[in-house]
Amino acid sequence: MLGGIGKLAGKYFSKGGTGRQVAKDVGIQSGIAGLLGLVTGGPVAGLAYGLGDFATNMPLVGLARHFAPGVKGTLQVKDAAGNLISKPYMAPSAIE
């Protein structure tokens, strides 16, 4: 069963794009929830909290980004030498 889930997840994330970015963003938060569960309830609780958080938030954040994408642009900052550096910037929507 887990092998089938792994293959399906591999096909989904191999396409790249927003799915991979959402998984990265949600995975960080789910990892923190899992660590807190590990500290307070042990390894089984930590795994349950982390996976539950990921399984809940992954589709919700994906839908929020689909219906209300954030604002993308470039941010220009000056470094210590006074040179302008352009960096890509993405501000999430209020729904997310």
Side-chain angles (χ1 to χ4, degrees):
M1 181 176 150
L2 291 177
I5 293 172
K7 286 181 183 178
L8 184 63
K11 286 181 184 178
Y12 180 73
F13 292 121
S14 67
K15 295 177 185 176
T18 58
R20 202 175 272 202
Q21 184 64 32
V22 169
K24 180 180 137 189
D25 293 342
V26 170
I28 293 169
Q29 298 167 358
S30 298
I32 293 170
L35 284 175
L36 290 174
L38 178 71
V39 170
T40 59
V44 174
L47 184 65
Y49 279 120
L51 288 177
D53 187 67
F54 186 82
T56 303
N57 288 329
M58 175 73 179
L60 293 176
V61 171
L63 283 172
R65 287 189 182 178
H66 176 73
F67 288 113
V71 178
K72 294 181 182 180
T74 56
L75 185 65
Q76 293 185 347
V77 294
K78 286 187 179 181
D79 62 358
N83 299 328
L84 280 176
I85 299 174
S86 295
K87 295 181 180 182
Y89 177 73
M90 199 283 193
S93 66
I95 295 173
E96 187 180 334

